[in-house]
Amino acid sequence: MNSEALQACKVYRQLLKAVRKHVGKEDYKKHFVEYVTQEFQKNCHLSDVVYIQQKIKLARDYTLLLNSVHHHMDLLFSYNIAIDRSDEMKRTLGKSAASVGLQLAVPYHS
């Protein structure tokens, strides 16, 4: 595999990971992953190096945008900027419990 193909594979994996993490894995959101996959498959047979490099840069930039927006949102949660913190606290407690091998109990609602 040449360096452009390896670079494209790396960017593709990073973009899919970001989309799955930040957009979601639910069935009604699977069209996002399908679109990314179709775009990479559609452009893998092209021979125009400049066009391919532009597409790879676009995918890398979009990955950075997704990750940055969600990191920014997490920062806003942590600074308590006029938002409900109960979900953020549950997430923080869940991460803390998971770091020592425990799981939080799921509350029972009748």
Side-chain angles (χ1 to χ4, degrees):
M1 232 187 234
N2 60 14
S3 64
E4 288 89 14
L6 287 174
Q7 182 183 16
C9 288
K10 182 179 177 183
V11 170
Y12 176 61
R13 278 194 309 269
Q14 291 172 344
L15 180 56
L16 280 180
K17 182 179 177 182
V19 168
R20 286 184 180 127
K21 180 177 179 183
H22 301 302
V23 175
K25 300 177 190 175
E26 295 85 7
D27 284 341
Y28 66 93
K29 296 179 182 178
K30 68 180 180 180
H31 62 280
F32 291 104
V33 173
E34 289 173 355
Y35 176 77
V36 170
T37 304
Q38 288 172 359
E39 284 297 308
F40 270 87
Q41 287 175 348
K42 180 173 66 174
N43 294 319
C44 73
H45 301 295
L46 297 175
S47 60
D48 186 5
V49 176
V50 174
Y51 180 75
I52 292 172
Q53 288 174 345
Q54 288 174 346
K55 286 289 195 173
I56 290 173
K57 183 181 180 330
L58 181 65
R60 187 181 301 116
D61 291 347
Y62 187 68
T63 303
L64 180 63
L65 175 69
L66 271 177
N67 289 329
S68 298
V69 164
H70 286 276
H71 178 70
H72 182 252
M73 189 176 68
D74 289 341
L75 285 174
L76 291 176
F77 273 122
S78 70
Y79 295 142
N80 194 20
I81 307 294
I83 51 176
D84 182 23
R85 293 198 59 185
S86 61
D87 289 337
E88 192 258 338
M89 287 303 292
K90 287 178 190 175
R91 187 171 53 238
T92 302
L93 289 172
K95 286 180 182 179
S96 298
S99 70
V100 293
L102 300 174
Q103 247 183 338
L104 291 179
V106 179
Y108 175 75
H109 298 284
S110 56

